[in-house]
Amino acid sequence: MPAAQSSDLTAPSRGLQRHRSLWMDVWLAFRNHTGALVGAGVFIAISLAVALGPLIHTVDPHYLDILAKNEGPSLKHPMGTDNLGRDTLAQVLAGGRISLAVGFTAMMIALVLGTLVGVLAGYFRQIDGLLMRLTDMFLALPLLPLLLVVIMLFRDSLRAAFGPETGIFLLVVFIIGITSWMQTARIVRGDVLALREREFVTAARSIGTRRRRIITRHILPNVLSPIMVSATLGIANAIITESALSFLGLGFPPDFPTWGRLLFDGANFISVTPERVLWPGLAISLTVLSVNYIGDGLRDALDPRLRGA
Amino acid sequence: MTHYIIRRLLFAVPTLIAISFILFALLDLAPNDPTGQLPLTIPAEAREQIRESLGLGEAFHIRYAKWMEQFFVNEPLNLIERAFGVEIGASEERLRVRSWATRSPVVDLIIERLPQTLWVVGLSYLIGILIAIPIGIVSAYRQYSWFDQLGTFVSMIGFSVPTFFTGLLAIIVFSVTLQWLPSIYDTTHRVTDLSSFWVQIKQMAMPVMVLALFNAAQISRFMRAAVLDNLTQDYVRTARAKGLRERIVLFIHVLRNSLIPVVTLIALGIPTVFGGAIITEKIFRVNGIGELLITAIQGADIPLVQTLSFLFAVLIVIFNLIADVLYGILDPRIRYG
């Protein structure tokens, strides 16, 4: 391929960097965003701590040691104990697994739904109006009250059907997912509308490429960057929503605590053991903050107008 | 413009009807029974009578139609009567949406709780805006200065840290450790003189500041972006070139243009703030609308939940409309066809 030669001729000064791929460019831009880099580091650290922590700190989060209740931090219990003598660190680690799992799964559901609606609305004119009116209607729903109502209504039947833990997990993840896809759908639709008129899509259509193939091969890879930014914001949003639900006492049950639930339980003992509020709250805040910084960095890195500068 | 407003209003009606149907149907699907909490010694026929008295005897579509009539016709008429002291028709016989738990009309409950929410939420939104706009302007004007870096960092924190954590932190610091402020909002407190006014300020300080910080974080980021957008516009260069003082360029030319999207955002945010206040009210035990909703949900008080969540939806639709119209009025470049 003479491309290498010609690029040598036209841009000899670029030297060794001429073979950079798109993702290499994105990574280089991302690396220059200090906040995003620190955010990514913190997020990876929290994920690792939550994933591997219980292997190192092997105290059972459910173990009641009533003689050691309301203790301050010590070597045995680095974050102290609660009013029933359970180890706070073990609970925070176990809660983090659920909180992060909820964040990821709910974000995936919202992303798939949002992308699907966005691509369909952008590519197929006939259903565009209908889908966008649906999106508008979802945006007008009062989300927090609605989430609370749905959980109240279906908590018991789902817990009976799937068991206490899986039931509530499915319910929380599902309702957060189906109530937070609208922004993604709108952004994706806008991008698809512009893309479908571009020459490469017309070219693909003119050589008889099937519509499904055009969408998966030509449209989807080009809307990947807004989707990725939506994904990071989606995780942050899902973690906060889940914590808010648990904090209002309508999320996960006390025997299956998440960060929000730990905060809710700890709030009643705030004058005795303020650490019980501090640690889970700090965990939620740090996670959300780091994810938001990653999102900020990704947005800048994926925007070609900013990347060149 | 009028044409556009009418079209939007016409579209708002089916949206609201669809939402009211969703809410009604969802709550109707509920696998719970309002007589479930009553003692088991009550015989089955008495239970049936209780259900009938709660209006549950009829078919779904009839109950929905009745609820619509109560909500859209009867209650507004009652409000008009109350506000102007007149009587329209047989006001005593009009069916009202009644709470299952207290048996009092839902609208009365809401009116009772509304002042607390409006004071706390409204004041926090106002303070949030007043903090955010100057910070946004300075951050943008001195882009990448230490003030901008700090402001961006603080607003990122305010934006990421949920209010239920900042609220509890504030309680730990100001109520538990320093013991300056009460952690519980006393709604029975009446302001009569200077010292009771001071008590009122003290008990409002924490909920208002917590919410204000959260609102200010969002608005200041937006304000900064809007001012940055405008600072590079040609008209700013023209204004400077013709010798206007920097203060006039910034506070007259740039500020007015930057406020256009921010005012829209502020209007859009009002319903969200009402929703978010649910959590703040729960932390500080303010017995406002959010607290009412939570109690209603926990007690499965279906009529109250239906009405409150529908009111939230109405707020969202109305403020979306207001935001769009405001945008059109403020920005002559926007023309709605």
Side-chain angles (χ1 to χ4, degrees):
Chain A
M1 190 69 203
Q5 276 173 15
S6 69
S7 77
D8 261 337
L9 291 172
T10 50
S13 59
R14 283 175 70 195
L16 285 171
Q17 291 186 344
R18 66 173 182 267
H19 289 301
R20 281 186 338 203
S21 69
L22 169 72
W23 294 109
M24 199 63 203
D25 273 355
V26 169
W27 165 241
L28 287 177
F30 186 80
R31 216 174 50 180
N32 287 330
H33 195 293
T34 323
L37 217 56
V38 174
V42 171
F43 187 67
I44 291 171
I46 291 175
S47 308
L48 281 179
V50 160
L52 306 176
L55 302 177
I56 300 161
H57 186 73
T58 49
V59 180
D60 179 9
H62 299 295
Y63 177 70
L64 304 180
D65 184 3
I66 206 81
L67 290 175
K69 68 173 180 181
N70 293 335
E71 272 187 5
S74 62
L75 266 183
K76 196 178 162 208
H77 305 292
M79 290 184 187
T81 56
D82 70 0
N83 59 313
L84 296 172
R86 286 175 295 195
D87 183 71
T88 305
L89 176 61
Q91 282 189 308
V92 169
L93 291 175
R97 285 186 169 185
I98 305 166
S99 286
L100 289 182
V102 168
F104 268 110
T105 327
M107 174 273 285
M108 284 310 291
I109 295 177
L111 217 58
V112 169
L113 262 177
T115 311
L116 190 72
V117 172
V119 167
L120 288 180
Y123 198 80
F124 300 101
R125 283 277 160 81
Q126 314 86 287
I127 51 175
D128 184 20
L130 184 77
L131 284 176
M132 283 300 110
R133 292 296 83 72
L134 185 77
T135 314
D136 288 345
M137 205 197 71
F138 262 87
L139 281 170
L141 285 175
L143 287 185
L144 194 56
L146 197 70
L147 293 178
L148 294 171
V149 167
V150 173
I151 290 191
M152 169 194 83
L153 296 180
F154 299 103
R155 185 165 49 176
D156 294 332
S157 34
L158 271 167
R159 289 191 79 167
F162 295 100
E165 298 182 358
T166 329
I168 196 82
F169 182 84
L170 287 178
L171 180 62
V172 168
V173 157
F174 180 71
I175 59 168
I176 294 179
I178 63 163
T179 51
S180 47
W181 53 269
M182 293 82 75
Q183 300 298 348
T184 317
R186 283 189 155 183
I187 299 167
V188 169
R189 169 183 173 267
D191 279 15
V192 172
L193 275 181
L195 279 171
R196 56 167 295 178
E197 304 303 330
R198 294 274 292 274
E199 288 82 359
F200 65 91
V201 177
T202 317
R205 207 179 295 136
S206 67
I207 58 168
T209 317
R210 265 169 294 143
R211 279 194 292 209
R212 185 192 296 171
R213 180 100 183 126
I214 293 181
I215 288 174
T216 52
R217 177 84 193 159
H218 299 287
I219 305 268
L220 274 183
N222 282 298
V223 290
L224 207 58
S225 45
I227 292 177
M228 280 177 62
V229 176
S230 293
T232 54
L233 299 180
I235 293 182
N237 172 50
I239 290 177
I240 288 209
T241 311
E242 182 276 314
S243 310
L245 291 176
S246 295
F247 183 76
L248 293 171
L250 279 158
F252 284 85
D255 49 344
F256 187 50
T258 61
W259 285 336
R261 181 75 207 196
L262 290 173
L263 211 56
F264 172 68
D265 292 335
N268 295 324
F269 299 90
I270 198 164
S271 51
V272 191
T273 45
E275 302 90 19
R276 278 183 68 185
V277 168
L278 214 60
W279 293 117
L282 216 60
I284 298 175
S285 310
L286 269 180
T287 312
V288 174
L289 191 64
S290 62
V291 171
N292 277 339
Y293 264 112
I294 297 174
D296 241 27
L298 262 183
R299 183 168 33 215
D300 291 356
L302 288 168
D303 190 338
R305 281 166 304 173
L306 293 175
R307 198 167 57 223
Chain B
M1 197 67 198
T2 327
H3 181 75
Y4 173 75
I5 295 175
I6 293 171
R7 213 179 55 200
R8 283 293 306 263
L9 276 174
L10 284 180
F11 180 66
V13 173
T15 312
L16 282 176
I17 290 178
I19 291 174
S20 79
F21 183 78
I22 291 176
L23 286 173
F24 196 89
L26 198 65
L27 284 161
D28 205 70
L29 279 175
N32 68 5
D33 176 9
T35 63
Q37 308 255 321
L38 297 173
L40 289 168
T41 46
I42 295 175
E45 53 267 32
R47 253 174 219 281
E48 204 45 49
Q49 277 173 1
I50 294 172
R51 289 176 62 82
E52 300 253 326
S53 77
L54 292 171
L56 279 172
E58 276 149 310
F60 173 77
H61 60 278
I62 294 183
R63 275 181 290 125
Y64 179 58
K66 275 191 170 173
W67 180 79
M68 295 270 277
E69 189 205 342
Q70 287 165 2
F71 190 89
F72 289 108
V73 182
N74 295 356
E75 294 299 349
L77 282 178
N78 285 335
L79 285 180
I80 293 170
E81 283 184 0
R82 186 196 287 250
F84 299 105
V86 292
E87 204 162 306
I88 310 164
S91 56
E92 286 304 309
E93 286 164 33
R94 228 176 271 142
L95 258 181
R96 307 194 67 182
V97 189
R98 279 179 189 280
S99 153
W100 284 351
T102 63
R103 305 298 294 138
S104 60
V106 166
V107 175
D108 292 359
L109 286 175
I110 295 173
I111 290 176
E112 198 181 292
R113 300 293 190 99
L114 201 56
Q116 287 87 282
T117 301
L118 282 181
W119 266 112
V120 173
V121 173
L123 207 60
S124 69
Y125 207 47
L126 208 67
I127 293 179
I129 295 168
L130 290 179
I131 299 174
I133 288 182
I135 292 181
I137 298 172
V138 178
S139 289
Y141 194 69
R142 304 233 175 278
Q143 199 187 1
Y144 303 130
S145 65
W146 65 266
F147 185 90
D148 180 31
Q149 305 275 0
L150 187 75
T152 311
F153 183 64
V154 171
S155 75
M156 199 71 171
I157 288 181
F159 180 75
S160 302
V161 179
T163 49
F164 45 81
F165 184 48
T166 38
L168 290 175
L169 266 186
I171 289 183
I172 292 180
V173 174
F174 295 110
S175 299
V176 178
T177 316
L178 297 172
Q179 305 207 326
W180 286 352
L181 302 168
S183 70
I184 292 176
Y185 187 93
D186 176 11
T187 349
T188 57
H189 181 75
R190 291 279 161 271
V191 178
T192 49
D193 51 6
L194 215 62
S195 69
S196 65
F197 178 65
W198 180 239
V199 172
Q200 176 70 14
I201 288 192
K202 269 165 74 173
Q203 69 170 353
M204 280 180 75
M206 277 200 296
V208 168
M209 286 325 287
V210 164
L211 264 182
L213 177 75
F214 184 70
N215 295 328
Q218 286 179 314
I219 299 170
S220 73
R221 274 169 74 87
F222 208 76
M223 186 71 204
R224 175 178 179 272
V227 174
L228 275 180
D229 262 2
N230 277 294
L231 276 175
T232 52
Q233 297 282 321
D234 289 341
Y235 72 83
V236 177
R237 199 184 329 142
T238 312
R240 282 182 183 144
K242 72 179 182 183
L244 286 183
R245 256 173 290 153
E246 195 60 21
R247 207 171 31 158
I248 294 176
V249 174
L250 187 63
F251 291 110
I252 309 275
H253 293 73
V254 173
L255 181 62
R256 279 173 56 173
N257 283 291
S258 314
L259 277 177
I260 296 171
V262 176
V263 166
T264 319
L265 180 86
I266 289 171
L268 275 179
I270 289 174
T272 334
V273 166
F274 271 93
I278 295 174
I279 290 167
T280 320
E281 286 182 4
K282 168 99 177 158
I283 302 171
F284 296 102
R285 303 201 165 80
V286 182
N287 67 341
I289 301 243
E291 168 82 37
L292 185 67
L293 180 69
I294 296 282
T295 339
I297 287 174
Q298 280 163 350
D301 192 346
I302 304 282
L304 192 51
V305 179
Q306 254 158 8
T307 312
L308 271 176
S309 21
F310 186 59
L311 273 181
F312 278 115
V314 173
L315 277 180
I316 297 177
V317 171
I318 289 178
F319 278 101
N320 271 328
L321 186 63
I322 291 178
D324 282 356
V325 171
L326 263 182
Y327 206 56
I329 294 173
L330 293 175
D331 192 342
R333 286 167 299 187
I334 307 277
R335 281 281 162 264
Y336 296 114

